[in-house]
Amino acid sequence: MIASIGSRLGQAVLVMLAVTAIAFVMFRYVGDPVAMMSREDASPAEKAQLRASLGLDRPVLVQYGDFLGRTLKGDLGISFRNQRPVVDLLAERLPATLELVIVATILSLSVGIPLGVYCALKPDGALARAIQTLSLVGISMPTFVTGIGLILIFAVTLRWLPSFGRGDVVQIGGWSTGFLTRSGLLSLLLPSVTLALYQLTLIMRLVRAEMIDVLSSDYIRFARARGLPPRYINFRLALRNALMPVVTVTGLQIGSLIAFAIVTETVFQWPGMGLLFIQAVSFADVPVMAAYLLFVGFLFVVINMVVDLTYTLIDPRLRTRRA
Amino acid sequence: MKRGLMALAGALAVLMVQSAGAQTLRWSAPGDVVSFDPNAQLDSFTQNIQLMVYDTLVRRNRKLEIEPGLATSWEVVEPTRWRFKLRPGVKFHDGERFTADDVVTTVMRTIDPDSRNKGNLATVVKAEKVDDMTVDLVLSGPYPLLLNDLTGIFVMSKGWLEKNHALKPGNTSTGVTTFASTHANGTGPFKLESYAPDSKTVMTVNDGWWDKPEHNLKRIEFRPIKSDATRVAALLSGEIDMISSLPLQDVPRVTGTQGFKVVEDPSLRLIFLGFNWRPELFAEPGKKNPLLDVKVRQALWHAVDLDAIQKRIMRGKSRNTGTMVAPPVPGYVADIDKPLAFDLALSKKLLTEAGYPNGFKTGLSCTNDRYIADEQLCLAIAGMWTKAGLQVEVKTESKATYFPRQDRGELDVWMLGWATLPQMDGFSVLSGIFASRKDGYGGSNAGGMVVPALDDLARKAAVELDETKRRAMMGEAFRIAKDQALFIPLHRQPLAWAMKTNVDVPQFPDEYVRPWFAKVN
């Protein structure tokens, strides 16, 4: 077990190294912050001096080594744009993104699972078919279209919900939360629905497929033959087994939700990490972009590791094979 | 009776809601404040917002002319020494009295080697206190644009900076972030209440402002919204009172909605095409660069149908132009502001005379996220040039990669927008675009253009203190540019804001929002 964790950690470090290298090389080509930071009529000397003061005149390898060294010490550098430590910027934005992702996940599970179960139990019902058809829309609709559509209906036409921002937030320690104010909760609705929609349909279709699979298996048929009540069969026996892959997918999806909250955050001006990243891209703010990529890379590595280790814990066959 | 009472109550409720919210201006724009430290950044939008909190020694009035601000008068004691009399009775937001020490500290902080905007006061060597209410600025040489430069230098409080250990400006390379990056203490019309990046910046009225307010605001809430569609939606849903920069395609939609209006005007920003002046073009290596021939450049100009661009792409909102600077800017000469006529036959004739009867191959590069409809402009012009017989390789890309490429001179024909800001003077074109790249001149002349007459005029105008002579020099430079077709000016791009009908915020061609002239009824 310990050896397995050890090798996992080793792999994780290698992956993170690769991510830093890719991040660094890639950002050589996204543009030159000096051009974005200079006055319109800046002289060549001014630009050269700025380049030197940012350390951009040094060879790429030296810059990379410097970046790596600082990163290991937990220093992600200073944002070119507003000159604040990147770690602080990320920490400020993390609550907004996490709250959005948590609500979106809860929403997609609490709506997706019941819908999936319903569609599996009544596969030929008219309502189930309608839900199935609608889910196709949910899966194929780009996030920004959904977002703008919801804004037009609920903010512009009906004027029920705010179209952008996080509303009023309350500071608890270093954490800013929108959960405790009315405007904060109202502001959460549209973006979290937008973000949840894809995951919701995914979970729904997954639950449905798994349920149908399980319901046609032998032990369910035996249970029916024994005359057990349908509620017990459907929910205690079938759903429990069908939920195993759902747990895995949800876990993995949380990573992509955080990473892909970018679009939703841009549409709703949600002051999270995704918006920070987009602003950084349009400004060629390399330290922020690199840090964000590192963070997302780290998140994926951790989630994958946890999922893998959980498998090993749950499934005894995986353990014996390794031993 | 009952119904009447209810109507009355309803009307009262409406009135109360209106008067309670009436003097708050809720405003949104795509950009956000980068930092409140005036010396830590060069972002013009950030400076716009800082100008609500900070005052300057001299400022721009409703006609954008320079008028006294914190300085009541000034004189040139020697060509390199300007003396400023300061306004008495001015107080900072924290109650401290404004004196000469504050100006000295501000100037020294601005020209500190670590200051990001030291280039905005490049000719100033030092500031000296003469007495409590008099300050001398010492320059490195005669310089006519000192007042223009000072309109962008925000006066900070010496005591406040000392108390908060922020005398040194913020700096990217050393990672210095100061108290002044997130707090502000100026003498301006509004006080900074809170600042949350990407989310909300709140200001309240400064009741102790030295000037008589022309506005009726109590509070400004600035909420940046980057996405165009969301920003328009936020206005139409009533959450926002005004948006600066309304996308052109949404103009009809907002004007057609009851309770909203659109304010439009051409901005100072002039869009033009510039050329590669090296011996060969990147599109056709090994062959002589056809763009070096004045007839070719004129042919390209004659081949551009500006009216079609104005009507179809710019939806009738832009202003076509034939010179390199906009009318309100010193140096503008009206009689050369006429583009070469669209004449395809003449264009082909000129190309034949120059020895290119079958045209030639050239690149044409533009941004796709910087200027209004920049990409469509590029594609349209490429189409027009193709009709004149050229083979055009169009390339559009993001400003983040385009501007460095432009700066390195890697483009054959390139697009650029120029607003002459922050100086708002034609000299900015002379020094940045016309002069060849030498001794700090030619910052954006990366195409390698060298015109000795222009180099000469730029250097003379730089030290000419006689305003009439100075303007004549600039006018002559613009005339040479037109005669030689050194650039193809296209248009002044339009500026559109949208607001509720009860909101009145005057628009300025420098694109600044000046809420001290705003009324909310």
Side-chain angles (χ1 to χ4, degrees):
Chain A
M1 191 68 196
I2 290 166
S4 143
I5 294 178
S7 78
R8 277 278 149 196
L9 281 177
Q11 286 172 11
V13 169
L14 279 182
V15 169
M16 288 310 292
L17 260 181
V19 170
T20 58
I22 292 169
F24 209 80
V25 172
M26 204 168 74
F27 294 145
R28 298 277 93 203
Y29 297 99
V30 296
D32 182 356
V34 172
M36 312 301 299
M37 288 163 77
S38 303
R39 282 178 307 142
E40 181 172 273
D41 49 5
S43 71
E46 277 176 59
K47 289 183 197 164
Q49 203 197 351
L50 179 59
R51 191 179 305 278
S53 82
L54 295 174
L56 293 170
D57 54 343
R58 300 170 302 162
V60 176
L61 265 182
V62 176
Q63 290 185 47
Y64 177 60
D66 183 43
F67 169 72
L68 213 58
R70 281 189 292 109
T71 307
L72 284 177
K73 282 188 256 162
D75 172 11
L76 291 173
I78 307 291
S79 158
F80 288 165
R81 185 159 184 259
N82 54 18
Q83 308 172 316
R84 300 188 45 214
V86 175
V87 176
D88 291 1
L89 288 176
L90 286 179
E92 254 170 40
R93 302 310 183 85
L94 189 65
T97 299
L98 275 190
E99 288 188 355
L100 180 64
V101 167
I102 289 169
V103 174
T105 308
I106 292 173
L107 209 65
S108 56
L109 288 177
S110 57
V111 179
I113 295 176
L115 283 183
V117 171
Y118 179 82
C119 289
L121 293 181
K122 297 221 161 51
D124 297 321
L127 186 61
R129 285 184 177 199
I131 295 172
Q132 277 284 96
T133 318
L134 271 177
S135 78
L136 275 180
V137 179
I139 255 181
S140 51
M141 184 99 91
T143 311
F144 67 89
V145 176
T146 320
I148 292 292
L150 289 176
I151 289 177
L152 282 182
I153 297 169
F154 293 101
V156 176
T157 311
L158 299 172
R159 297 201 172 190
W160 288 350
L161 295 169
S163 57
F164 71 99
R166 242 188 125 188
D168 295 325
V169 291
V170 178
Q171 286 286 341
I172 302 174
W175 188 274
S176 66
T177 181
F179 286 157
L180 299 176
T181 63
R182 192 183 131 80
S183 72
L185 289 173
L186 288 178
S187 304
L188 255 169
L189 281 173
L190 292 185
S192 54
V193 167
T194 307
L195 188 61
L197 211 62
Y198 178 81
Q199 211 198 358
L200 189 157
T201 42
L202 194 74
I203 286 174
M204 190 214 106
R205 295 175 78 88
L206 191 68
V207 168
R208 177 183 168 274
E210 287 292 324
M211 270 291 269
I212 289 177
D213 212 33
V214 174
L215 284 175
S216 65
S217 65
D218 287 341
Y219 72 92
I220 297 289
R221 269 189 276 154
F222 287 132
R224 282 206 182 112
R226 278 178 58 197
L228 290 172
R231 267 185 83 86
Y232 183 82
I233 296 174
N234 289 340
F235 292 97
R236 294 299 289 271
L237 297 180
L239 182 60
R240 274 199 171 183
N241 279 295
L243 280 186
M244 286 307 286
V246 174
V247 172
T248 316
V249 166
T250 310
L252 291 175
Q253 280 283 318
I254 288 181
S256 24
L257 273 184
I258 292 183
F260 302 119
I262 292 180
V263 178
T264 309
E265 291 189 3
T266 311
V267 170
F268 289 95
Q269 191 70 23
W270 189 261
M273 291 190 301
L275 192 63
L276 181 74
F277 178 72
I278 284 292
Q279 305 275 36
V281 169
S282 62
F283 211 81
D285 195 342
V286 178
V288 173
M289 285 192 284
Y292 180 79
L293 208 69
L294 269 182
F295 176 80
V296 172
F298 179 71
L299 207 70
F300 273 91
V301 165
V302 168
I303 289 174
N304 276 302
M305 214 162 79
V306 170
V307 167
D308 280 359
L309 290 176
T310 319
Y311 278 166
T312 332
L313 282 177
I314 291 172
D315 195 334
R317 283 170 299 178
L318 288 172
R319 245 176 300 168
T320 40
R321 201 185 302 152
R322 208 177 279 273
Chain B
M1 180 62 197
K2 207 174 172 190
R3 197 184 287 172
L5 263 180
M6 269 171 68
L8 191 68
L12 269 176
V14 168
L15 270 176
M16 277 165 66
V17 166
Q18 272 189 347
S19 58
Q23 288 161 329
T24 296
L25 177 69
R26 294 170 303 168
W27 156 48
S28 180
D32 195 7
V33 188
V34 170
S35 161
F36 268 92
D37 186 337
N39 303 125
Q41 42 64 45
L42 285 164
D43 182 66
S44 63
F45 184 76
T46 298
Q47 285 168 6
N48 181 180
I49 290 200
Q50 289 177 351
L51 204 46
M52 300 166 194
V53 183
Y54 286 104
D55 277 319
T56 49
L57 286 179
V58 292
R59 60 179 189 179
R60 296 205 180 263
N61 63 13
R62 272 183 192 257
K63 291 179 192 154
L64 294 187
E65 297 156 345
I66 292 172
E67 66 170 18
L70 288 181
T72 49
S73 64
W74 49 88
E75 56 174 331
V76 185
V77 187
E78 298 162 32
T80 57
R81 180 178 286 268
W82 292 49
R83 179 157 296 170
F84 292 85
K85 282 276 172 209
L86 304 182
R87 189 177 296 278
V90 176
K91 285 207 165 88
F92 282 98
H93 295 160
D94 66 357
E96 285 297 316
R97 201 169 68 90
F98 160 70
T99 68
D101 288 327
D102 300 312
V103 178
V104 173
T105 303
T106 298
V107 169
M108 296 319 275
R109 195 178 190 267
T110 305
I111 61 178
D112 187 288
D114 282 335
S115 149
R116 184 79 88 59
N117 71 334
K118 60 178 180 290
N120 286 356
L121 213 51
T123 51
V124 174
V125 182
K126 61 177 169 178
E128 286 173 1
K129 175 180 173 179
V130 179
D131 61 45
D132 232 20
M133 283 288 129
T134 315
V135 172
D136 277 2
L137 294 192
V138 181
L139 312 188
S140 55
Y143 180 62
L145 292 170
L146 181 64
L147 294 179
N148 298 53
D149 288 355
L150 286 176
T151 59
I153 304 302
F154 306 123
V155 177
M156 305 176 83
S157 154
K158 183 188 180 197
W160 182 77
L161 287 172
E162 276 174 351
K163 196 171 72 196
N164 296 298
H165 314 289
L167 274 175
K168 282 288 267 186
N171 186 293
T172 41
S173 47
T174 50
V176 176
T177 309
T178 70
F179 186 75
S181 314
T182 45
H183 300 78
N185 177 37
T187 59
F190 299 96
K191 299 186 218 182
L192 179 64
E193 182 182 289
S194 65
Y195 163 48
D198 279 352
S199 169
K200 197 175 187 179
T201 297
V202 180
M203 294 178 198
T204 53
V205 71
N206 172 16
D207 290 317
W209 193 35
W210 55 271
D211 201 4
K212 191 176 173 299
E214 289 181 53
H215 66 87
N216 67 352
L217 304 181
K218 284 268 175 271
R219 191 179 163 84
I220 302 172
E221 287 182 18
F222 172 68
R223 321 271 321 255
I225 304 177
K226 192 176 166 60
S227 153
D228 281 344
T230 313
R231 194 165 58 254
V232 176
L235 175 79
L236 294 179
S237 71
E239 295 160 82
I240 291 288
D241 299 315
M242 172 191 137
I243 57 177
S244 54
S245 167
L246 170 72
L248 279 192
Q249 69 267 17
D250 289 321
V251 171
R253 169 133 193 252
V254 175
T255 29
T257 310
Q258 180 115 50
F260 297 95
K261 64 181 173 188
V262 175
V263 187
E264 301 174 82
D265 210 16
S267 113
L268 287 182
R269 195 165 298 280
L270 199 119
I271 310 293
F272 63 89
L273 299 176
F275 302 112
N276 176 0
W277 288 78
R278 301 217 156 69
E280 16 185 284
L281 288 182
F282 295 104
E284 265 189 321
K287 289 190 188 163
K288 185 171 172 283
N289 178 359
L291 300 175
L292 296 176
D293 189 329
V294 59
K295 283 188 176 159
V296 171
R297 297 193 301 268
Q298 283 168 339
L300 293 185
W301 195 340
H302 279 299
V304 176
D305 187 350
L306 284 179
D307 290 333
I309 289 176
Q310 202 260 353
K311 274 194 204 90
R312 305 231 177 86
I313 299 177
M314 305 307 289
R315 297 168 200 246
K317 311 286 187 195
S318 63
R319 198 70 53 91
N320 289 350
T321 175
T323 185
M324 288 291 284
V325 72
V329 178
Y332 172 83
V333 182
D335 70 292
I336 54 169
D337 186 7
K338 199 171 174 306
L340 297 194
F342 171 59
D343 187 339
L344 215 49
L346 179 59
S347 174
K348 282 183 179 155
K349 184 170 159 268
L350 283 167
L351 280 176
T352 312
E353 280 175 25
Y356 301 97
N358 302 315
F360 56 92
K361 203 157 131 191
T362 178
L364 171 62
S365 302
C366 302
T367 49
N368 54 23
D369 56 0
R370 176 64 185 91
Y371 309 114
I372 297 173
D374 40 10
E375 189 171 40
Q376 289 107 295
L377 276 174
C378 224
L379 293 172
I381 292 167
M384 293 165 185
W385 284 354
T386 308
K387 281 188 195 146
L390 267 66
Q391 292 161 266
V392 189
E393 293 173 356
V394 186
K395 187 165 182 211
T396 67
E397 61 190 310
S398 160
K399 62 188 177 199
T401 50
Y402 175 87
F403 287 121
R405 223 186 285 287
Q406 195 273 335
D407 192 45
R408 290 194 297 265
E410 294 173 359
L411 310 170
D412 285 336
V413 183
W414 37 270
M415 177 187 281
L416 203 60
W418 206 261
T420 71
L421 298 174
Q423 285 184 335
M424 215 181 288
D425 190 277
F427 179 68
S428 144
V429 180
L430 263 62
S431 63
I433 309 175
F434 284 2
S436 54
R437 223 170 227 201
K438 207 165 62 183
D439 342 308
Y441 282 85
S444 286
N445 177 5
M449 182 180 86
V450 181
V451 182
L454 291 181
D455 275 333
D456 195 38
L457 282 166
R459 278 163 181 76
K460 277 188 186 148
V463 295
E464 180 55 66
L465 292 175
D466 182 324
E467 186 61 13
T468 321
K469 282 189 196 157
R470 203 178 70 86
R471 289 192 185 205
M473 289 171 184
M474 296 195 286
E476 198 188 331
F478 291 125
R479 198 175 300 275
I480 293 173
K482 167 120 196 237
D483 291 346
Q484 296 292 313
L486 301 178
F487 299 90
I488 303 181
L490 301 172
H491 57 238
R492 290 166 68 194
Q493 69 177 21
L495 174 64
W497 297 352
M499 54 194 92
K500 290 182 181 163
T501 36
N502 65 329
V503 176
D504 188 19
V505 183
Q507 200 171 47
F508 295 89
D510 64 354
E511 304 184 17
Y512 268 39
V513 173
R514 292 179 165 83
W516 52 95
F517 294 133
K519 290 252 162 64
V520 175
N521 300 308

